Amino acid sequence: MSSSFFLKKEPKSNKKRKQTLEDKKAGKLSKKFSNEANFSSSKNDEEIASDDEYPSGNEAIGNNNNLTFSSDEAEEETPQDKRLRLAKQYLEEIEKQELEKAKDRQLHDQVSQRLQTEYLDSVGKLRKNIAASIDGYDVENLVKLKHKKQHLPLCSLALTPDGQILFSGGKTQYVLKWNLKNNRVVGMFNVEPYNEDINKGVLKRRSHVIAMCISSDMRYLALADNGKTIQIWCPKELKHLKTFHGHRDVVTCLVFRKDTHELYSGSNDRSVKIWSLDEMAYVESLFGHQAGVTGIDALARERAISSGGPDCSLRIWKITEESQLIYNGHQDRVESVKFLNEENFISSGTDGSLCLWSALKKKSLHTEILSHGQQANGDANWLTAIACVVNTDLIASGSCDGFIRLWQACDHHRKLKQILKIPVEGFVNSLTFNQEGTRLFAALGQEHRLGRWLRLSEGKNQIVIIDLLRNQTRKDANK
């Protein structure tokens, strides 16, 4: 039984599908032909380049170095190379930081060392041992300074703290200013017009500059011209500033308190006087010596030490406490005294002894008897000058025996040991070191600075500058 329900439908025709595939193929071929046509036409439109536009063989090779490659062709950094590169950068950064830290540490150490040195110096506890390193002196480069204005014996020296300028005085009325860079006189002045004893007609005498000192800031120069007065000069402009009156006899010694304008003076009137140069006025007098004062010295503390000449005593004046400490040890006249540091000092006298003292003990720690030998008649060669480098163990002494002797304060400043002898001619009337202790200045003369009872004809009236050689300096010189 046939029914329309069971009739099969006619299959759909594939013409449309075949046609679409054929159309796609035909479209692709047409695009291809059109692109080829466009390419050929554009190629025909381009101009033909000449031979000059193409680089030669060498230029082509050179230009190959400038060729850049794509990331695919370039050699890529491996993880190991990257770690190595980063490690090197890290090490370089650490080195830079450590160098900066080392510089900071070095600067910090230098600053701390300087602060510690200044503190110890201020409280008088700084100690430097330099005497053991001295290994002689420079004989070939010994400097001798002479001038026609100072043809008589030299008596006193004053060295500026920087060691560049030296003032010299002698048994003439002239003071000379020496430039130690070229060892030439750069100025001079005459003290005779300011000798007020002559102006008043009280005493006819010739000016002798027997004592001089200069302030730490090089602002004032004080001198004693063998009279009762003290003259104050400007060391830079060489101008007279003031004349102090007050002593009743000849002023024999002068010293400035360190880093101040406080001046101490000693005189044959047996007194020590204090002057303020800030106010240009007299302050007070200190009495106690039984004879004329022959030497005086001071450091930073408000105190002074003086030698009493024929009374054979030394006295430390505690100014603020208005008290004094007395020391006895010399058998004859005491000529000079110097502070080695705030706790120790040295003294010398006509008995030929050089004594080392502690401020805490009444007796000397060490006495070098006949330190400069004896004369033909058996008398001791009395010491005419002493000097020391403050806060060190180096000491110098002079006499008329023909030698300047250097000493070391060894065994914690309990003993004296001679380390060097330097030959000179005449009386050693003044000695001074520079601050480093590398140079020694000596004022020589045919006569003693305070009299004419003995004359050494072989002596020379001159200044001698001695360069001391340290161990390392000697090694470098031998090279």
Coordinates of all heavy atoms in Angstrom, one line a residue, residues 395-446:
I395 N 116.1 66.8 75.4 CA 116.7 67.9 76.2 C 118.0 68.3 75.5 O 118.7 67.5 75.1 CB 116.9 67.6 77.7 CG1 115.5 67.2 78.3 CG2 117.5 68.8 78.4 CD1 115.7 66.5 79.7
A396 N 118.3 69.6 75.6 CA 119.6 70.1 75.1 C 120.2 71.0 76.1 O 119.5 71.8 76.8 CB 119.4 70.9 73.7
S397 N 121.5 71.0 76.2 CA 122.2 71.9 77.2 C 123.5 72.4 76.5 O 124.1 71.8 75.6 CB 122.6 71.1 78.5 OG 123.5 70.0 78.2
G398 N 123.9 73.6 76.9 CA 125.0 74.3 76.4 C 125.9 74.9 77.5 O 125.4 75.3 78.5
S399 N 127.2 75.0 77.1 CA 128.1 75.6 78.1 C 129.2 76.3 77.3 O 129.0 76.7 76.2 CB 128.7 74.5 79.0 OG 129.6 75.0 79.9
C400 N 130.4 76.4 77.9 CA 131.5 77.0 77.2 C 132.6 75.9 76.9 O 133.8 76.3 76.6 CB 132.1 78.1 78.0 SG 132.6 77.7 79.6
D401 N 132.3 74.6 77.0 CA 133.3 73.6 76.8 C 133.4 73.2 75.3 O 134.2 72.3 75.0 CB 132.9 72.4 77.6 CG 131.6 71.7 77.1 OD1 130.7 72.5 76.6 OD2 131.4 70.5 77.3
G402 N 132.7 73.9 74.4 CA 132.8 73.6 73.0 C 131.8 72.6 72.4 O 131.9 72.1 71.3
F403 N 130.8 72.2 73.2 CA 129.8 71.2 72.8 C 128.4 71.6 73.2 O 128.2 72.2 74.3 CB 130.1 69.8 73.3 CG 131.4 69.2 72.8 CD1 132.5 69.3 73.5 CD2 131.4 68.6 71.6 CE1 133.7 68.7 73.0 CE2 132.5 68.0 71.1 CZ 133.7 68.1 71.8
I404 N 127.4 71.3 72.4 CA 126.0 71.2 72.8 C 125.7 69.8 72.9 O 125.9 68.9 72.1 CB 125.1 71.9 71.7 CG1 125.4 73.4 71.6 CG2 123.7 71.7 72.0 CD1 124.7 74.0 70.4
R405 N 125.1 69.4 74.1 CA 124.8 68.0 74.4 C 123.3 67.8 74.4 O 122.6 68.6 74.9 CB 125.4 67.6 75.7 CG 127.0 67.8 75.7 CD 127.5 67.6 77.1 NE 128.9 68.0 77.2 CZ 130.0 67.2 77.1 NH1 129.8 65.9 77.0 NH2 131.2 67.7 77.2
L406 N 122.9 66.7 73.8 CA 121.5 66.3 73.8 C 121.3 65.1 74.7 O 122.2 64.2 74.8 CB 121.1 65.8 72.4 CG 121.2 66.9 71.3 CD1 120.5 66.3 70.0 CD2 120.5 68.2 71.7
W407 N 120.2 65.2 75.5 CA 119.9 64.2 76.5 C 118.6 63.6 76.3 O 117.7 64.2 75.7 CB 120.0 64.9 77.9 CG 121.2 65.6 78.2 CD1 121.5 66.9 77.8 CD2 122.4 65.2 78.9 NE1 122.8 67.3 78.2 CE2 123.3 66.2 78.9 CE3 122.7 64.0 79.5 CZ2 124.6 66.1 79.5 CZ3 123.9 63.9 80.2 CH2 124.8 64.9 80.2
Q408 N 118.4 62.4 76.8 CA 117.1 61.7 76.8 C 116.7 61.5 78.2 O 117.4 61.0 79.1 CB 117.2 60.3 76.1 CG 115.9 59.6 76.1 CD 116.1 58.2 75.5 OE1 117.2 57.7 75.2 NE2 115.0 57.4 75.4
A409 N 115.4 61.9 78.5 CA 114.8 61.6 79.8 C 114.2 60.2 79.7 O 113.0 60.1 79.3 CB 113.8 62.7 80.1
C410 N 114.9 59.2 80.2 CA 114.4 57.9 80.0 C 113.9 57.3 81.3 O 113.9 58.0 82.4 CB 115.6 57.0 79.5 SG 117.1 57.1 80.5
D411 N 113.4 56.1 81.3 CA 112.9 55.4 82.5 C 111.8 56.2 83.1 O 111.8 56.5 84.3 CB 114.0 55.1 83.5 CG 113.6 54.1 84.6 OD1 112.6 53.5 84.3 OD2 114.3 54.0 85.6
H412 N 110.8 56.6 82.2 CA 109.6 57.3 82.7 C 110.0 58.6 83.3 O 109.5 59.0 84.4 CB 108.8 56.5 83.6 CG 108.3 55.2 83.0 ND1 107.3 55.1 82.1 CD2 108.7 53.9 83.2 CE1 107.1 53.9 81.7 NE2 107.9 53.1 82.4
H413 N 110.9 59.3 82.7 CA 111.4 60.6 83.1 C 112.0 60.6 84.5 O 111.8 61.5 85.4 CB 110.3 61.7 83.1 CG 109.8 62.0 81.7 ND1 108.9 61.2 81.0 CD2 110.1 63.1 81.0 CE1 108.7 61.7 79.9 NE2 109.3 62.9 79.8
R414 N 112.8 59.5 84.8 CA 113.5 59.4 86.0 C 115.0 59.4 85.9 O 115.7 59.6 86.9 CB 113.1 58.0 86.7 CG 111.6 58.0 87.1 CD 111.3 56.7 87.8 NE 109.9 56.6 88.2 CZ 109.5 57.1 89.3 NH1 110.3 57.6 90.2 NH2 108.2 57.0 89.6
K415 N 115.5 59.3 84.7 CA 117.0 59.4 84.5 C 117.3 60.2 83.2 O 116.5 60.3 82.3 CB 117.5 57.9 84.3 CG 117.5 57.1 85.6 CD 118.1 55.7 85.4 CE 118.0 54.9 86.6 NZ 118.7 53.6 86.5
L416 N 118.5 60.6 83.2 CA 119.1 61.4 82.0 C 120.2 60.6 81.4 O 121.0 60.0 82.0 CB 119.6 62.8 82.4 CG 118.6 63.8 82.9 CD1 119.2 65.0 83.4 CD2 117.6 64.1 81.8
K417 N 120.1 60.5 80.0 CA 121.1 59.8 79.3 C 121.6 60.6 78.1 O 120.7 61.1 77.3 CB 120.5 58.4 78.8 CG 121.4 57.6 77.9 CD 120.7 56.4 77.3 CE 121.5 55.6 76.4 NZ 120.8 54.5 75.8
Q418 N 122.9 60.8 78.0 CA 123.4 61.6 76.9 C 123.4 60.8 75.6 O 123.8 59.6 75.6 CB 124.9 62.0 77.2 CG 125.5 62.9 76.1 CD 126.9 63.4 76.5 OE1 127.1 63.8 77.6 NE2 127.8 63.3 75.5
I419 N 122.9 61.4 74.5 CA 122.7 60.7 73.3 C 123.5 61.3 72.1 O 123.8 60.7 71.1 CB 121.2 60.6 72.8 CG1 120.6 62.0 72.7 CG2 120.4 59.8 73.8 CD1 119.2 62.1 72.2
L420 N 124.0 62.6 72.3 CA 124.7 63.2 71.2 C 125.5 64.4 71.6 O 125.1 65.1 72.6 CB 123.7 63.7 70.1 CG 124.2 64.2 68.8 CD1 125.0 63.2 68.0 CD2 123.1 64.8 67.9
K421 N 126.6 64.6 71.0 CA 127.5 65.8 71.3 C 127.7 66.6 69.9 O 128.1 65.9 68.9 CB 128.8 65.4 71.8 CG 128.8 64.9 73.3 CD 130.1 64.3 73.7 CE 131.2 65.3 73.6 NZ 132.5 64.8 74.1
I422 N 127.4 67.9 70.0 CA 127.5 68.7 68.7 C 128.6 69.7 69.0 O 128.4 70.6 69.9 CB 126.2 69.3 68.4 CG1 125.1 68.3 68.2 CG2 126.3 70.2 67.1 CD1 123.7 68.8 68.1
P423 N 129.7 69.7 68.3 CA 130.8 70.7 68.5 C 130.4 72.1 68.0 O 129.9 72.3 66.9 CB 131.9 70.2 67.7 CG 131.3 69.3 66.6 CD 130.1 68.8 67.2
V424 N 130.6 73.1 68.9 CA 130.4 74.5 68.6 C 131.5 75.3 69.3 O 132.3 74.8 70.1 CB 129.0 75.0 69.1 CG1 127.9 74.4 68.4 CG2 128.9 74.8 70.6
E425 N 131.6 76.6 68.9 CA 132.7 77.4 69.4 C 132.1 78.6 70.1 O 131.3 79.3 69.6 CB 133.6 77.9 68.2 CG 134.4 76.8 67.5 CD 135.2 77.3 66.3 OE1 134.9 78.5 65.9 OE2 136.1 76.6 65.9
G426 N 132.5 78.8 71.4 CA 132.1 79.9 72.2 C 131.1 79.6 73.2 O 130.8 78.4 73.5
F427 N 130.6 80.6 73.9 CA 129.5 80.5 74.9 C 128.2 80.2 74.2 O 127.8 80.8 73.2 CB 129.4 81.7 75.7 CG 130.4 81.9 76.8 CD1 131.6 82.5 76.6 CD2 130.2 81.3 78.0 CE1 132.5 82.7 77.5 CE2 131.1 81.4 79.0 CZ 132.3 82.1 78.8
V428 N 127.5 79.2 74.7 CA 126.1 78.9 74.2 C 125.2 79.7 75.1 O 124.8 79.3 76.2 CB 125.8 77.4 74.3 CG1 124.4 77.2 73.7 CG2 126.8 76.6 73.5
N429 N 124.7 80.9 74.6 CA 123.9 81.8 75.4 C 122.4 81.6 75.3 O 121.7 82.0 76.2 CB 124.2 83.2 75.0 CG 125.6 83.7 75.5 OD1 126.1 83.3 76.6 ND2 126.3 84.5 74.7
S430 N 122.0 80.9 74.3 CA 120.5 80.6 74.2 C 120.3 79.4 73.3 O 121.1 79.2 72.3 CB 119.8 81.8 73.6 OG 118.4 81.5 73.5
L431 N 119.4 78.5 73.6 CA 119.0 77.4 72.9 C 117.5 77.3 72.7 O 116.7 77.6 73.7 CB 119.5 76.1 73.6 CG 121.0 75.8 73.6 CD1 121.3 74.6 74.5 CD2 121.5 75.5 72.2
T432 N 117.0 76.8 71.6 CA 115.6 76.6 71.4 C 115.4 75.6 70.3 O 116.1 75.5 69.3 CB 114.9 77.9 71.0 OG1 113.5 77.7 70.9 CG2 115.4 78.5 69.7
F433 N 114.3 74.8 70.4 CA 113.9 73.8 69.5 C 112.7 74.3 68.7 O 111.9 75.1 69.2 CB 113.5 72.4 70.2 CG 114.7 71.6 70.6 CD1 115.1 71.6 71.9 CD2 115.3 70.8 69.7 CE1 116.1 70.8 72.4 CE2 116.4 70.0 70.2 CZ 116.8 70.0 71.5
N434 N 112.5 73.7 67.5 CA 111.2 73.9 66.9 C 110.2 72.9 67.5 O 110.6 72.0 68.3 CB 111.3 73.7 65.4 CG 111.7 72.3 65.0 OD1 112.2 71.5 65.8 ND2 111.6 72.0 63.7
Q435 N 108.9 73.0 67.2 CA 107.9 72.2 67.9 C 108.1 70.7 67.6 O 107.8 69.9 68.5 CB 106.5 72.6 67.5 CG 106.1 73.9 68.2 CD 104.6 74.3 67.9 OE1 104.0 73.7 67.0 NE2 104.1 75.2 68.7
E436 N 108.6 70.3 66.5 CA 108.7 68.9 66.1 C 110.0 68.3 66.7 O 110.1 67.1 66.7 CB 108.7 68.7 64.6 CG 107.4 69.1 63.9 CD 107.2 70.6 63.8 OE1 108.3 71.3 63.9 OE2 106.1 71.1 63.5
G437 N 110.9 69.1 67.1 CA 112.2 68.6 67.6 C 113.1 68.2 66.6 O 114.1 67.4 66.8
T438 N 113.0 68.7 65.3 CA 113.9 68.3 64.2 C 115.0 69.3 64.0 O 115.9 69.0 63.3 CB 113.0 68.2 62.9 OG1 112.3 69.4 62.7 CG2 112.0 67.0 63.1
R439 N 114.8 70.5 64.6 CA 115.9 71.6 64.4 C 116.2 72.2 65.7 O 115.3 72.4 66.6 CB 115.4 72.7 63.4 CG 115.0 72.2 62.1 CD 114.7 73.3 61.1 NE 116.0 73.7 60.4 CZ 116.1 74.8 59.6 NH1 115.0 75.5 59.4 NH2 117.2 75.1 59.0
L440 N 117.5 72.5 65.9 CA 117.9 73.1 67.1 C 118.6 74.4 66.7 O 119.5 74.5 65.9 CB 118.9 72.2 67.9 CG 119.6 72.8 69.1 CD1 118.5 73.1 70.2 CD2 120.6 71.8 69.7
F441 N 118.3 75.5 67.4 CA 118.8 76.8 67.2 C 119.7 77.3 68.4 O 119.2 77.2 69.5 CB 117.7 77.9 66.9 CG 116.8 77.5 65.8 CD1 115.7 76.6 66.0 CD2 117.0 78.0 64.5 CE1 114.9 76.3 65.0 CE2 116.2 77.7 63.5 CZ 115.1 76.8 63.7
A442 N 120.9 77.7 68.1 CA 121.8 78.1 69.2 C 122.4 79.5 68.9 O 122.8 79.8 67.8 CB 123.0 77.1 69.3
A443 N 122.3 80.4 70.0 CA 122.9 81.7 69.9 C 124.3 81.6 70.6 O 124.4 81.3 71.8 CB 122.0 82.7 70.6
L444 N 125.4 81.9 69.8 CA 126.7 81.8 70.3 C 127.4 83.1 70.4 O 127.0 84.1 69.8 CB 127.5 80.9 69.4 CG 127.0 79.5 69.0 CD1 127.9 78.8 68.1 CD2 126.7 78.7 70.3
G445 N 128.4 83.2 71.3 CA 129.1 84.4 71.5 C 130.5 84.2 72.2 O 130.7 83.1 72.8
Q446 N 131.3 85.1 72.1 CA 132.6 85.0 72.7 C 132.5 85.3 74.2 O 133.5 85.0 74.9 CB 133.6 86.0 72.0 CG 133.9 85.7 70.6 CD 134.8 86.7 69.9 OE1 134.9 87.9 70.3 NE2 135.6 86.3 68.9

